[in-house]
Amino acid sequence: MKEIVPYVHRVQYYETDKMGIVHHSNYIRWFEEARIDMLGQLGIGFDKIEARGIMSPILSVDCQYLQPVRFGEDVVITSEVTEFNGIRCTIRYEIRGKDDDGLRTKGKTSLAFLKADGTMLRMKKEHPDIYEILKNQIREEKSVTL
């Protein structure tokens, strides 16, 4: 298993609402940023995946907001693969304050791997290198319910 360096994001003004708190929709974007960063660190960035004719639509998103994040803060986003069966992949995220390490948000996304034409892809058979990379990244799901 390769250790992934957490993704760091600085909160921009446009990401906040009138109260100066990050609007809830931005956390989903941050999950995507962290996921793209993680896959790049694994050597299978979206550019490489899509160049091989693989699409990865999101099937579901869960997000639990615990503490607000505000303009100007830096947050550290960890992402971990918790499930992967060759077709479906689940990634867990934790967003923490960089300065205080407080857990602000947690969530997960599930995505599928399909051929460019939208048909099922048998990752283990058709792209065994990517299959092995993702299979080797699986971390046990924490006993936290979202």
Side-chain angles (χ1 to χ4, degrees):
M1 177 181 312
K2 179 176 172 136
E3 284 302 314
I4 302 299
V5 175
Y7 178 74
V8 178
H9 178 85
R10 171 155 290 169
V11 177
Q12 302 300 309
Y13 184 75
Y14 69 86
E15 295 174 308
T16 63
D17 59 20
K18 191 172 183 175
M19 297 178 292
I21 296 172
V22 171
H23 187 269
H24 66 275
S25 64
N26 289 296
Y27 294 88
I28 307 309
R29 290 182 182 98
W30 297 353
F31 289 173
E32 180 177 308
E33 290 174 17
R35 181 174 61 253
I36 289 170
D37 183 70
M38 177 189 70
L39 292 173
Q41 289 184 55
L42 293 172
I44 52 172
F46 272 111
D47 55 339
K48 292 179 182 178
I49 289 173
E50 288 181 352
R52 290 170 73 170
I54 303 169
M55 299 290 108
S56 56
I58 295 294
L59 302 173
S60 67
V61 176
D62 292 310
C63 189
Q64 188 174 2
Y65 308 99
L66 304 170
Q67 294 292 322
V69 177
R70 300 179 188 283
F71 168 66
E73 285 188 82
D74 288 328
V75 291
V76 177
I77 307 168
T78 58
S79 52
E80 301 173 335
V81 176
T82 58
E83 296 176 45
F84 176 66
N85 65 10
I87 298 170
R88 178 182 279 221
C89 182
T90 301
I91 300 171
R92 176 182 56 229
Y93 310 89
E94 287 187 350
I95 300 176
R96 295 182 174 275
K98 185 176 180 185
D99 294 334
D100 64 11
D101 195 41
L103 182 59
R104 307 300 184 80
T105 306
K106 58 187 175 182
K108 62 184 175 180
T109 56
S110 291
L111 53 108
F113 291 102
L114 304 172
K115 295 178 184 178
D117 65 3
T119 60
M120 286 297 237
L121 171 68
R122 295 181 299 169
M123 186 73 78
K124 188 173 185 177
K125 182 177 182 181
E126 298 176 50
H127 301 280
D129 55 328
I130 295 173
Y131 177 87
E132 286 303 317
I133 289 169
L134 289 171
K135 198 71 173 169
N136 290 332
Q137 282 303 118
I138 295 175
R139 292 186 188 249
E140 187 175 316
E141 182 77 44
K142 293 178 183 174
S143 60
V144 175
T145 304
L146 295 177

